[in-house]
Amino acid sequence: SSRLRFGVVWMVQALWVFLTPLSVTILNSQMVQADTGLLDYIGWAVWATGWGMEVVADSQKNAFKAQHPDTFVRTGLWRYSRHPNYFGEILLWFGVYLACISGYSKRWQTLTGLISPIFTFHLLRNVSGVRMLEKSWEKRYGEQEEFREWRR
């Protein structure tokens, strides 16, 4: 039924809003602030790399689509990765998690904080993102040789 479908979509969105920033939420619940350490810098570098990858991939795709609206994109980062923008998003949240670890005071926080990047990966890979996008691309580009090569 449409009510059930609406409820499922709403719950997935609610989970997304709750679980994606979970590592930061846990960190912000700490009473003591930890010193900045090497893992923080590594996490920030991973975040920046993911953010940059996402921005560049989306920009490259938009520029390509402006000139070739009916052609499958295989240039720039899209030449090397099936979904560089989604990979960047996953990397971004993994970087946030890494930057939070040194502020956790209990093992359960470290393990629970890991839910954030794992959930982001699962959502983009198996629920929305990749699965939905590839279905629509199959319909739109399925006859194009570049798409068939990319799909292999």
Side-chain angles (χ1 to χ4, degrees):
S1 90
S2 62
R3 283 184 177 181
L4 179 61
R5 197 174 346 191
F6 174 78
V8 168
V9 169
W10 191 89
M11 287 304 296
V12 168
Q13 290 175 350
L15 272 173
W16 173 59
V17 169
F18 176 74
L19 293 178
T20 300
L22 186 60
S23 52
V24 175
T25 304
I26 294 168
L27 179 67
N28 288 342
S29 71
Q30 299 297 303
M31 295 299 191
V32 178
Q33 183 174 345
D35 293 334
T36 303
L38 179 62
L39 201 51
D40 296 303
Y41 293 110
I42 292 170
W44 298 336
V46 170
W47 179 90
T49 301
W51 182 81
M53 181 176 280
E54 190 171 3
V55 168
V56 168
D58 285 340
S59 296
Q60 288 174 341
K61 183 178 177 185
N62 289 337
F64 181 87
K65 288 310 218 175
Q67 294 180 349
H68 312 281
D70 297 323
T71 306
F72 185 72
V73 61
R74 288 286 308 259
T75 61
L77 293 175
W78 296 88
R79 176 180 299 166
Y80 304 107
S81 174
R82 284 179 77 125
H83 299 282
N85 53 344
Y86 293 152
F87 179 71
E89 180 77 11
I90 293 163
L91 207 56
L92 181 153
W93 286 105
F94 186 69
V96 169
Y97 167 72
L98 288 176
C100 290
I101 290 174
S102 62
Y104 297 152
S105 59
K106 296 179 177 68
R107 183 166 173 77
W108 72 264
Q109 295 168 327
T110 304
L111 296 174
T112 304
L114 191 55
I115 291 172
S116 170
I118 290 172
F119 178 74
T120 301
F121 172 81
H122 174 67
L123 192 65
L124 290 175
R125 177 68 182 100
N126 301 313
V127 180
S128 65
V130 171
R131 178 177 280 170
M132 292 172 65
L133 191 57
E134 288 189 4
K135 278 183 186 178
S136 70
W137 284 354
E138 180 67 40
K139 290 177 187 172
R140 186 171 185 184
Y141 305 114
E143 299 302 316
Q144 294 180 17
E145 181 61 31
E146 285 190 352
F147 178 77
R148 288 194 303 268
E149 285 178 28
W150 172 85
R151 195 177 50 200
R152 289 183 210 151

